[in-house]
């Protein structure tokens, strides 16, 4: 009963947007849903992402504060991309552009999602790059080979609960 009730918000449609590869939601890509969110909202905006492998490089810009992205299943809701230091080829700072998910916004939340840099053993390749403050990550997996999570900006605070880093 507790498990059934915890899934209720997803079933009840308590989200502003739904992302689904099978076209049953508002969008088929996570980035398109992020881009549709109101800039500088007065209250939290939420995106529900149905199970699937989303091959995309996503950015949550600073104007999308108070954004939540919630996956249907940490094991079956996957954001993946394969950029790496050599592929980016932007000189000595290439690492900072290799992310799969970059979060520039404050008060961001990510839950029940795997973020993966799938480039393999080729050097620096970020799964997650966080620049925002007060960001929360719950029940997430961050997968990569080297430099998987990059938390930047002096004095920013991030909370990781039940996550694989």
């Amino acid at each position: 009963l507790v498990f059934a009730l915890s899934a209720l918000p997803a079933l009840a449609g308590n989200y502003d947007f739904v992302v689904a590869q099978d076209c049953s939601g508002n969008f088929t890509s996570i980035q398109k849903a992020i881009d549709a969110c109101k800039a500088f909202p007065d209250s939290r905006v939420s995106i529900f992402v149905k199970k699937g492998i989303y091959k995309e490089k996503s950015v949550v810009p600073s104007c999308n504060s108070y954004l939540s992205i919630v996956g249907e299943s940490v094991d079956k809701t996957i954001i993946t991309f394969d950029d790496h230091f050599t592929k980016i080829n932007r000189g000595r700072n290439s690492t900072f552009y290799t992310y799969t998910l970059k979060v520039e916004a404050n008060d961001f939340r990510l839950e029940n999602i795997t973020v993966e840099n799938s480039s393999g053993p080729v050097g620096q390749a970020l799964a997650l790059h966080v620049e925002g403050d007060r960001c929360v990550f719950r029940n997430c997996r961050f997968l990569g080979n080297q430099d998987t999570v990059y938390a930047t900006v002096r004095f920013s605070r991030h909370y990781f609960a039940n996550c694989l880093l």
Side-chain angles (χ1 to χ4, degrees):
L1 181 63
V2 171
F3 177 74
L5 290 176
S6 67
L8 189 59
L11 300 174
N14 290 335
Y15 294 91
D16 296 294
F17 301 108
V18 174
V19 177
Q21 290 178 326
D22 65 2
C23 298
S24 64
N26 306 98
F27 301 96
T28 57
S29 101
I30 295 164
Q31 188 63 59
K32 287 182 182 177
I34 293 167
D35 293 345
C37 293
K38 180 181 179 184
F40 305 108
D42 296 330
S43 60
R44 186 155 296 279
V45 176
S46 60
I47 298 171
F48 181 72
V49 183
K50 290 187 177 183
K51 294 177 190 175
I53 298 174
Y54 298 86
K55 184 166 180 163
E56 59 183 277
K57 187 173 182 110
S58 300
V59 177
V60 179
S62 60
C63 64
N64 287 122
S65 55
Y66 299 107
L67 176 64
S68 293
I69 300 176
V70 179
E72 187 172 1
S73 163
V74 70
D75 297 322
K76 295 183 180 175
T77 307
I78 300 166
I79 308 169
T80 185
F81 208 74
D82 60 356
D83 274 349
H84 55 84
F85 188 90
T86 306
K87 182 179 176 183
I88 292 294
N89 196 22
R90 291 184 70 162
R92 58 186 263 175
N93 293 320
S94 293
T95 301
F96 309 109
Y97 300 95
T98 65
Y99 58 83
T100 296
L101 175 63
K102 182 177 183 183
V103 179
E104 299 170 347
N106 293 335
D107 302 297
F108 174 78
R109 293 182 190 164
L110 186 72
E111 299 179 31
N112 304 327
I113 290 183
T114 294
V115 179
E116 170 189 54
N117 187 308
S118 58
S119 61
V122 291
Q124 293 93 340
L126 305 173
L128 175 67
H129 178 147
V130 184
E131 294 183 359
D133 190 19
R134 297 177 307 273
C135 296
V136 175
F137 304 90
R138 285 193 177 100
N139 195 35
C140 294
R141 295 187 311 169
F142 301 98
L143 307 176
N145 187 64
Q146 182 179 337
D147 299 335
T148 304
V149 173
Y150 177 62
T152 181
V153 180
R154 192 172 183 192
F155 304 119
S156 63
R157 297 154 291 180
H158 314 295
Y159 179 72
F160 293 85
N162 195 33
C163 291
L164 173 70
L165 300 169

